[in-house]
Amino acid sequence: MKRLFVLVCALGLWAAAWAAPEVNIVPKPLNVETGDGSFTVDAATVVTVGRDASLRSVGELFAAMIEPVTGRAVKVKTAADGAKIALAVDPELGEEEYVLRVTPAGADVRGGSPKGVLYGLQSLRQLVIEGEGTVPAVTVKDKPYFGYRGAMLDVCRHFMPVEDVKAFIDILAMHKLNRFHFHLTDDQGWRIEIKKYPDLARKGSVRKETLVGNLRTSTEYDGIPYGGYYTQKQIREIVRYAAERHIEVIPEIEMPGHGLGALTAYPWLGCRGENYEVWTRWGISKDVFCAGKDSTFEFLQDVLAEVIELFPSKYIHIGGDECPKARWKECPLCQRRMKENGLKNEEELQSYFMQRIEKWLNDHGRNIIGWDEILQGGISKTATVMSWRGSKGGIAAAKAGNTVIMAPNTHCYLDYRQTQQQEFEPLGQVKYLPMRQVYALDPYEQLTPDECKYILGVQGNLWTEYIPDFRQVKHMLLPRLAAIAETGWAYDRKDFEDFSRRMRQFRKVYDCAGYNYATYFFDGKDE
């Protein structure tokens, strides 16, 4: 009888464990403890924010997120009786840390700041949507691993209207990312209004036509002028929208290469000084900013003076990638600059160029980020390197004591195709980057524990040569952005099989938001 009793108890415990609800949060939380019962979120539920006015906007964002489930936006009040979701800032928690507690009586979300509270609400959002309003009793204690978790959108090859940029920001917030890298200038178009140089928008933002088909095989053009730029009022609107979602916008103003948009508007910026046009095809132009003219630096400082007024970000990205040196080799002014400054080669001239701009930005309270080519010729100790040509540039920078953001094309280029079944995809990049490979990113690859401290975080990049509209942006971005988000948030607790299981539920959040996304990963065709 005693053995039977023990067996029954064991079976009861096993059954209870088996029946415990799954908590499928992405990115993976630090700690999850399930409880008994559940809490129902419906139209009668109230979000309470106490006397903290900074939490009201966070609560209203959450109310809008779950409206497809509740039928209307739940009310946000200072206090309420009955079923409620209570929000509070807890100074004992870190800025991005949160604690989410759900009981049958309601939910409580505490964060070290309104940003932390918003992250807790993003987790609660997932549970509300998955359970169609019924949330299991649970305590989630969570915080991110890396401080920098970002994504880049290129609006130069194909322009994205303001509402699409806002939608991109919403997607970043959904994944608990906190940096939006805004790629604003390139050979194919200058996309930001600069009041001192109005032709940047009038002329530099428009190309006369666009290549049709693949860069490597096509010589066909559509014959249709293509353009678009953001006014300074629109930029402020985007920055404000991102700040409400606790995302910092980092602008990128490309130099010394990828500058045909500017050279077309003001030909004196180039070494040749004439006959420039905004590029109609993809790839890299030989024409770059002239490093031998002081007027080039005066122009860029004028541009950056307006940029830093628009963007309060700590960092300004100044490019530095893919800069051909042929024009500099031919330019008497560039060669004289090299001689006067004791520079051995054009790589050191680029280093001179970038460090001169960096000093100006440092003097104005900002730090720079540059693509890993800025390592050529030497960089200052205060520059941050964004490693894109694999991880090798980031590894070298960290070993040299520079801060690094890992965004290697081997794991983080989300414009690469995500299926081997090319017949199902529109024209795009030929390189293949499935979810498993994205998830496999190790930002600490080949680094010692002491060197690891220089890794600020990770970023996904979306270049738009073959992405003409925002529908295709979402298709390429989702669901792979979730893998980058999990590396940034939960690097120390990653497990691909567990991630795959949670993603099967997380896709419901995409569905609820009405996002079109690639289904190959969910169909088991391309992991």
Side-chain angles (χ1 to χ4, degrees), residues 105-121:
D108 173 75
V109 183
R110 291 183 293 113
S113 68
K115 181 191 292 189
V117 173
L118 179 59
Y119 293 151
L121 287 172

Side-chain angles (χ1 to χ4, degrees), residues 1 44 84 119 150 163 203 295 313 317 336 404 411 424 429 452 513:
M1 180 64 72
K84 63 184 179 181
Y119 293 151
E163 292 308 310
K203 297 181 179 179
S295 56
S313 55
H317 201 306
R336 186 175 71 184
V404 174
H411 297 81
F424 297 118
Q429 297 286 359
C452 288

Side-chain angles (χ1 to χ4, degrees), residues 9 33 36 44 74 92 120 213 331 369 399 408 427 502:
C9 288
E33 295 179 7
D36 296 325
V74 299
E92 297 297 314
C331 176
I369 300 172
K399 288 184 178 297
L427 178 71
R502 284 179 284 114

Side-chain angles (χ1 to χ4, degrees), residues 106-410:
D108 173 75
V109 183
R110 291 183 293 113
S113 68
K115 181 191 292 189
V117 173
L118 179 59
Y119 293 151
L121 287 172
Q122 290 288 5
S123 293
L124 181 57
R125 169 196 194 176
Q126 294 180 33
L127 298 178
V128 169
I129 291 170
E130 180 184 344
E132 298 181 352
T134 301
V135 183
V138 67
T139 298
V140 179
K141 298 179 180 179
D142 199 10
K143 63 180 179 179
Y145 187 90
F146 286 109
Y148 186 108
R149 306 177 307 281
M152 186 278 298
L153 179 63
D154 163 29
V155 295
C156 299
R157 280 50 180 248
H158 283 100
F159 180 73
M160 302 292 160
V162 170
E163 292 308 310
D164 290 344
V165 176
K166 289 180 177 179
F168 187 85
I169 290 167
D170 285 334
I171 291 171
L172 304 196
M174 173 189 289
H175 292 84
K176 301 188 178 84
L177 300 176
N178 61 5
R179 300 294 196 285
F180 169 35
H181 173 180
F182 204 5
H183 184 81
L184 285 165
T185 70
D186 219 299
D187 291 324
Q188 292 80 14
W190 183 283
R191 305 291 181 216
I192 177 173
E193 177 191 26
I194 301 298
K195 293 186 181 296
K196 188 167 184 177
Y197 299 100
D199 280 350
L200 288 172
R202 278 201 298 256
K203 297 181 179 179
S205 69
V206 181
R207 57 180 182 259
K208 67 180 182 182
E209 58 187 359
T210 302
L211 180 75
V212 175
N214 188 283
L215 172 64
R216 293 176 176 81
T217 59
S218 178
T219 58
E220 180 185 355
Y221 292 83
D222 61 13
I224 303 170
Y226 184 94
Y229 68 91
Y230 305 99
T231 66
Q232 293 199 358
K233 181 180 179 181
Q234 289 173 324
I235 290 289
R236 289 191 179 93
E237 182 183 349
I238 289 168
V239 170
R240 182 171 58 251
Y241 189 88
E244 289 170 353
R245 287 146 183 81
H246 298 280
I247 292 172
E248 182 177 85
V249 185
I250 299 173
E252 181 179 2
I253 307 298
E254 272 275 10
M255 61 187 80
H258 288 291
L260 265 182
L263 271 61
T264 301
Y266 299 99
W268 49 266
L269 290 167
C271 295
R272 293 190 296 119
E274 61 182 359
N275 299 326
Y276 302 114
E277 65 174 29
V278 179
W279 239 22
T280 56
R281 57 192 295 111
W282 320 131
I284 305 167
S285 168
K286 290 182 180 179
D287 286 302
V288 302
F289 287 106
C290 181
K293 299 175 183 176
D294 284 338
S295 56
T296 299
F297 294 96
E298 291 166 5
F299 165 84
L300 289 170
Q301 289 166 10
D302 289 341
V303 167
L304 291 170
E306 294 192 31
V307 167
I308 63 177
E309 285 298 314
L310 295 169
F311 296 92
S313 55
K314 174 183 176 182
Y315 293 107
I316 304 294
H317 201 306
I318 59 172
D321 63 311
E322 298 178 326
C323 178
K325 308 301 191 292
R327 299 299 187 212
W328 288 357
K329 290 179 186 292
E330 301 165 355
C331 176
L333 295 177
C334 289
Q335 293 302 307
R336 186 175 71 184
R337 177 84 73 191
M338 289 170 58
K339 185 176 181 180
E340 289 175 349
N341 288 274
L343 306 175
K344 297 175 184 176
N345 51 41
E346 286 72 20
E347 282 69 31
E348 289 192 3
L349 180 58
Q350 176 165 333
S351 178
Y352 165 89
F353 192 113
M354 303 305 278
Q355 290 191 43
R356 183 165 168 174
I357 294 296
E358 180 185 14
K359 183 180 185 306
W360 187 91
L361 281 168
N362 289 165
D363 290 345
H364 290 77
R366 306 303 177 92
N367 293 336
I368 71 160
I369 300 172
W371 299 107
D372 57 59
E373 285 96 331
I374 67 171
L375 291 165
Q376 299 167 3
I379 61 171
S380 74
K381 287 295 183 183
T382 53
T384 294
V385 172
M386 184 168 281
S387 189
W388 77 273
R389 297 176 300 171
S391 297
K392 61 183 183 298
I395 293 167
K399 288 184 178 297
N402 282 83
T403 49
V404 174
I405 299 159
M406 283 295 189
N409 60 342
T410 51

